[in-house]
């Protein structure tokens, strides 16, 4: 009887294969690049998707990350990290760059998302007031430092706990709590509460 788990490479063997592929990539071996992509892309895509929460954005970041990996393969040092750690670092940095670049841009909401935020009221005056309040809040959010805004959005719009925000942003818990507290204080004074 054939057990497919017996053919599963050990972590040590997988690491060795990844290192060999990185070495071959460093000298321009496209087949090594393709093999490394097939071995690592599912996990790296998951990292990008977890950070960006949008499939299309994660695909874009992953694409950019592999271009960077191809161009910088010669700088990879196996004594410093495993190939997966090195690649994950590239993906993480690209995702952060992507989020920073998106900070001052607004996204159009699709109809299903927009419907959740639109009050089912027939009162035009009430809708006008809600739009006005939303604009004030958006303006106040725009004046927050990026790290405070991102922490606040992750905590209140994405529903993450302070600990989860800390893990997500890879910052100490105390720092995250301070950023969120300062952001809330700023918003409170900005909107006039």
């Amino acid at each position: 009887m054939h057990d497919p788990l017996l053919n599963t490479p050990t972590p040590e063997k997988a690491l060795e294969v990844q290192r060999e592929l990185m070495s071959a990539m460093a000298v321009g071996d496209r087949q090594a690049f393709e093999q490394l992509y097939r071995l690592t892309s599912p996990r790296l895509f998951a990292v990008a998707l977890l950070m960006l929460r949008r499939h299309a954005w994660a695909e874009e970041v992953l694409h950019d990350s592999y271009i960077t990996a191809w161009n910088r393969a010669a700088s990879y040092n196996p004594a410093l990290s495993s190939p997966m750690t090195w690649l994950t670092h590239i993906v993480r940095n690209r995702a952060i760059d992507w989020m920073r670049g998106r900070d001052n841009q607004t996204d159009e909401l699709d109809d299903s998302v927009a419907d959740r935020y639109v009050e089912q009221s027939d009162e035009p005056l009430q809708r006008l007031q809600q739009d006005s309040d939303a604009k004030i809040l958006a303006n106040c959010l725009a004046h927050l430092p990026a790290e405070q805004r991102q922490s606040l959005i992750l905590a209140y719009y994405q529903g993450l706990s302070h600990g989860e925000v800390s893990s997500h942003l890879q910052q100490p818990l105390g720092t995250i709590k301070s950023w969120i507290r300062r952001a809330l204080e700023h918003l409170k004074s900005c909107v006039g509460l």
Side-chain angles (χ1 to χ4, degrees):
M1 186 166 147
H2 177 67
D3 185 357
L5 293 178
L6 293 176
N7 291 332
T8 304
T10 64
E12 294 81 18
K13 180 65 178 166
L15 179 60
E16 181 184 328
V17 168
Q18 289 175 5
R19 285 185 173 153
E20 289 171 4
L21 293 172
M22 285 296 298
S23 295
M25 243 175 68
V27 295
D29 186 336
R30 290 176 186 248
Q31 287 181 331
F33 176 74
E34 182 181 345
Q35 285 181 299
L36 188 69
Y37 177 85
R38 289 176 192 265
L39 287 172
T40 60
S41 64
R43 185 167 177 197
L44 295 175
F45 178 74
V47 169
L49 187 59
L50 181 65
M51 291 182 73
L52 299 169
R53 298 183 186 261
R54 293 232 178 140
H55 197 273
W57 294 355
E59 285 177 346
E60 186 72 26
V61 163
L62 188 66
H63 178 262
D64 289 349
S65 298
Y66 275 104
I67 290 172
T68 300
W70 173 258
N71 291 329
R72 294 187 188 164
S75 71
Y76 168 70
N77 183 347
L80 297 177
S81 67
S82 72
M84 197 62 185
T85 301
W86 188 74
L87 291 167
T88 301
H89 183 74
I90 292 172
V91 170
R92 180 184 168 277
N93 287 341
R94 287 284 177 203
I96 289 170
D97 290 345
W98 183 272
M99 288 186 286
R100 284 181 183 151
R102 305 241 3 124
D103 261 353
N104 297 322
Q105 299 175 12
T106 56
D107 296 322
E108 289 186 30
L109 298 174
D110 65 16
D111 291 337
S112 64
V113 174
D115 288 345
R116 285 189 280 161
Y117 296 103
V118 174
E119 182 64 36
Q120 299 298 326
S121 170
D122 293 329
E123 301 255 343
L125 223 45
Q126 186 178 7
R127 284 194 181 165
L128 182 61
Q129 179 61 41
Q130 287 172 344
D131 288 346
S132 176
D133 291 345
K135 286 178 185 174
I136 291 169
L137 181 59
N139 184 46
C140 292
L141 280 169
H143 286 89
L144 286 171
E147 65 275 356
Q148 289 181 16
R149 181 174 48 250
Q150 187 178 16
S151 299
L152 190 70
I153 288 171
L154 288 170
Y156 289 93
Y157 287 95
Q158 299 294 330
L160 299 182
S161 69
H162 289 175
E164 291 169 329
V165 173
S166 173
S167 295
H168 183 75
L169 297 179
Q170 296 185 341
Q171 293 291 330
L173 180 60
T175 300
I176 296 300
K177 287 181 177 184
S178 294
W179 286 349
I180 291 173
R181 188 188 77 251
R182 286 187 212 129
L184 289 172
E185 288 170 356
H186 169 77
L187 289 180
K188 186 177 177 183
S189 67
C190 184
V191 298
L193 294 178

